[in-house]
Amino acid sequence: MKRQLHEFQVRTANRLRQRHGRKLVIRVVSNASAAATKLREEDAEQTEAATSEMQPPLKPLRRRNKIWQWWLLWLSIIFGLGGTALAAFFLLATIPPQVNCKNISPLAPEMDRLVCAQEAAQSGKLDQLVEAMKFVKSLSPDNPVYPEATRMMEDWSRSLLAIARQKIDQGDLKGAIAIARQIPSSSPLYPEVQAAMKQWQGDWQQGQEITKKFLATLKEQKWFEASLQIQALSRLDSRYWDQKQLDKLIDRMSQEKKAWQQLEEAQKFAEAKTPEGYAPAIALAGKVNANTYAKPKAKAEINRWSQELLKMTAQHLEQEEFDRAITAAQLIPNEASVYQEAQDWIQLSRSYAVAQENKILSFLEAQAAVRQISPKSPLRQQARVTEALWQSNLQDRLQMQFAETIASFDQPLTFQLAISQAQAIAPERPGRIEAQTQIAHWRKQIQQIQDRIALSRAKQLATPGTLESLRAAVAEGSQIKLGQPLRIEAQTYIAQWTKAIQTMEDRPILDLAKGLAQQGNLQAAVAAASKIAPGRALYSEAQAALSDWVAQIQIAEDTPILNEATALAADGRLTAAINKASGIRYGRALYREAQGAIARWASEREAILAERRKAAELQQSVEENSSESQSEFQTNRQPEQSNRQSEGND
């Protein structure tokens, strides 16, 4: 391109010089400045040589000297004018030096400015091309450089159009149109540029409409219709819409499908309506792509599930299930609208959980937890009430701590002092229940000490083991009343002492009864042993002896009856034997034996009766068969007699 510019400059210089009637021979050299310098040196040498050749030899005559002086003057003038003309010729004929385009002035010749414009345009940068176009626009058609500038404008226009196409391929319609409009109407590519802009605008409008419909179908989850819009977009003759945007739409539909699937899975988990179900549901819904239409629905579901978790938290807190309340509130994610409220519920629940330890430090920690609840929180009023409650509990705990310290000496007097301190806690105070519990405990401790003293004294009284000492020990131990701490232990000792007393009192009676029984006086023995009342220490032993003696008496009384019944049965009088044996009543010693005999005799009687019934039935059967035979014989004789009468008649 530079060589073309040089040739253009040479042609322009020739035309200018031909107008003055001169004939020039110009050589194109690579270094114009060096050639000009060489030409100047040759011109100077030729001038000196010509001057030396034309100067005539000096003569001694004065006249000739004057003439030569005039000739020399005129020759000097002529040669001066010629040198000037020759220098001007060389300046016009020599290729001008390269232009410094970095510091070119707006007043510089159009040729220099055109050279700089072309040099800048070769960079391919948008702003340089636009400046080159502006320079061409500023040239008038009669300017000598206008034809060459117009030819260059076509190349520059192609470059601008290529940049504009890059913009439209990148999706920058406004940028592409703005660049294309920089190409003037005088450019040979102007019609092509106008057609390209029209196509760009048409494709852009159609692509936007298809994209709008595509997004509308995605929003309604109409996947088939969305696929049709993708196919319509693929038919556009545009690299931007057919390639880049098409891939984006396909990816967008894939993202939307995945997002809705995640949301559906999350909703299935949430159907359980338990913290264990809401936890994976919220996690899945939180993973839904933020750039999809499913995200607002996912956020709404997360907020709804978070509200349900807050209700569960409040219920668990009301039921004093503090750990479960904290667990439910911790499931609420950061993006939920009630996240901050959930944090306040956590702090409130933690304060209750810590306060359960019923220690001074735990109440201080509980107060610190509720103080973290924001003044703008819906729980602020409840937090204030709770903080006041923990403050009251703290004061009561301090007072109870002092009372417990006093009671730790385990003395009746110190217990009384501790009770006085605990009774100072008013009934409406939160520590009142604990105070009453401790007061009851300390009173029990006092009573236990007193009971221990009384029981020890009773044990000392029972040590001799005499009847009087045991009775005194029972009386002393009986002072420990029902409900007192050592009542069970005292009753255990009293039972032992009472048993010993009863044994001492009833042993002579039982020994007397046994002696009478040995003498054969069973009735007297039974009467004596019956004096030992139920519940007494020797009652079981007495009853065992009584049972033996009564059995002996009953056997003696019932044996004759059973023997008589046996004799009757031997004579075959089974019914009489059964009736006789039935006289032995239930509970008597021989009752079982009598019942066994009765059952045996009843069985024998039944067998005899069965044989009799069988014989009677057999006799009846024989009689019935005999009657039937006679009847049949009479029936058979009647037809025979009829036949005989008919034969006689014949």
Side-chain angles (χ1 to χ4, degrees), residues 481-538:
K481 304 300 181 182
L482 185 65
Q484 293 182 203
L486 296 183
R487 170 69 176 183
I488 296 176
E489 185 177 355
Q491 289 298 311
T492 302
Y493 282 107
I494 289 174
Q496 295 176 2
W497 299 331
T498 301
K499 183 178 181 180
I501 292 172
Q502 292 174 355
T503 301
M504 291 180 183
E505 291 176 343
D506 295 342
R507 178 58 64 185
I509 299 174
L510 185 58
D511 291 343
L512 174 62
K514 289 180 178 179
L516 293 172
Q518 288 178 355
Q519 296 174 5
N521 192 357
L522 297 176
Q523 294 292 345
V526 170
S530 298
K531 295 179 181 179
I532 300 175
R536 303 280 291 181
L538 296 180

Side-chain angles (χ1 to χ4, degrees), residues 146 211 280 290 304 395 466 547 635:
Y146 184 77
T211 303
R304 184 171 66 86
Q395 294 174 356
T466 62
S547 297
T635 303

